[in-house]
Amino acid sequence: MVKWGMASSWTGDQVRLRAIEPDDWTAFMRFADDAGRRGSRLDLPRSAESYRAWAKEQAVAECDDDRFRLAVETTATGELVGMVGSHRTGPRSGWFEFDVTIGADHRRRGYAADAAVLLLRFMFAERRYHKCVAAILARNAPSLALFRRLGFTEEGRLREHVYFAGRHHDLVMTGMLADEFDQRHGMSGP
């Protein structure tokens, strides 16, 4: 493994995080088709051109207030398997929210955990955030299990907070502090 601060801070045991490139659009379109739903809502069908435009936009996007998206590719083959990003921040209070998405064919191989640790290490050690929060649908048992393994603590539950597929769903609020991350994963890597 390449350790934090060495040749690449963006490479873990199984994945490498990199900028999204315009040609990545086909993989992201495939991941969206695999999921059927994105997060807590049913999206309208999108054209191939919309995925092309999105990938092109992401390829040149500036990092705005530590909000960004990165592609997740395997270190073994270089195959694009997902995406990770910080999508909301509270810089004055020192918190950020992130998500990780792995294509259906690549789940349960450790890619999400490896990508999450790399992103969390960057945000805590380099950007000096104090806390990471994540909101997860209560019915998403695999994601809840992943966040527990990473060291997140359930901080609350918003009952029947999200509506989709004809009914309301609970949203589980989780959090991890920088010192909790350091104790479990290390700020400088293993």
Side-chain angles (χ1 to χ4, degrees):
M1 171 181 182
V2 177
K3 293 186 180 177
W4 192 253
M6 293 176 69
S8 175
S9 301
W10 302 107
T11 302
D13 292 330
Q14 297 182 301
V15 302
R16 177 176 17 281
L17 304 185
R18 63 165 175 79
I20 294 172
E21 295 293 343
D23 289 342
D24 293 338
W25 72 270
T26 55
F28 288 115
M29 186 170 72
R30 191 172 53 255
F31 298 155
D33 287 345
D34 288 346
R37 294 184 183 278
R38 194 176 78 90
S40 61
R41 67 178 192 256
L42 178 62
D43 286 332
L44 292 170
R46 289 179 59 185
S47 67
E49 187 56 37
S50 74
Y51 283 99
R52 276 188 210 98
W54 176 85
K56 187 174 182 179
E57 178 183 295
Q58 292 299 308
V60 296
E62 296 288 324
C63 179
D64 182 27
D65 291 331
D66 288 327
R67 290 176 299 197
F68 55 88
R69 296 248 173 247
L70 297 171
V72 177
E73 66 181 18
T74 67
T75 53
T77 65
E79 181 180 6
L80 180 61
V81 296
M83 178 173 50
V84 65
S86 168
H87 57 87
R88 288 180 44 199
T89 61
R92 293 187 76 184
S93 300
W95 64 268
F96 68 98
E97 188 172 350
F98 89 104
D99 60 19
V100 59
T101 303
I102 302 296
D105 291 344
H106 306 286
R107 293 182 188 145
R108 293 177 186 41
R109 298 183 189 173
Y111 300 148
D114 204 22
V117 168
L118 290 169
L119 178 100
L120 291 166
R121 187 170 288 132
F122 172 73
M123 294 298 281
F124 286 138
E126 296 299 318
R127 293 296 200 238
R128 298 184 182 161
Y129 281 91
H130 174 68
K131 182 178 184 177
C132 179
V133 296
I136 305 158
L137 284 173
R139 66 185 204 88
N140 188 344
S143 288
L144 286 170
L146 168 66
F147 279 77
R148 284 186 192 109
R149 280 193 313 276
L150 288 170
F152 281 76
T153 300
E154 184 173 327
E155 296 183 342
R157 183 176 293 252
L158 302 175
R159 296 177 308 132
E160 298 185 6
H161 188 72
V162 177
Y163 184 84
F164 74 97
R167 60 182 274 246
H168 289 91
H169 301 269
D170 290 358
L171 194 62
V172 178
M173 305 305 296
T174 66
M176 179 190 289
L177 302 176
D179 64 335
E180 294 168 338
F181 175 84
D182 189 27
Q183 290 171 9
R184 189 176 204 109
H185 303 283
M187 288 294 190
S188 61

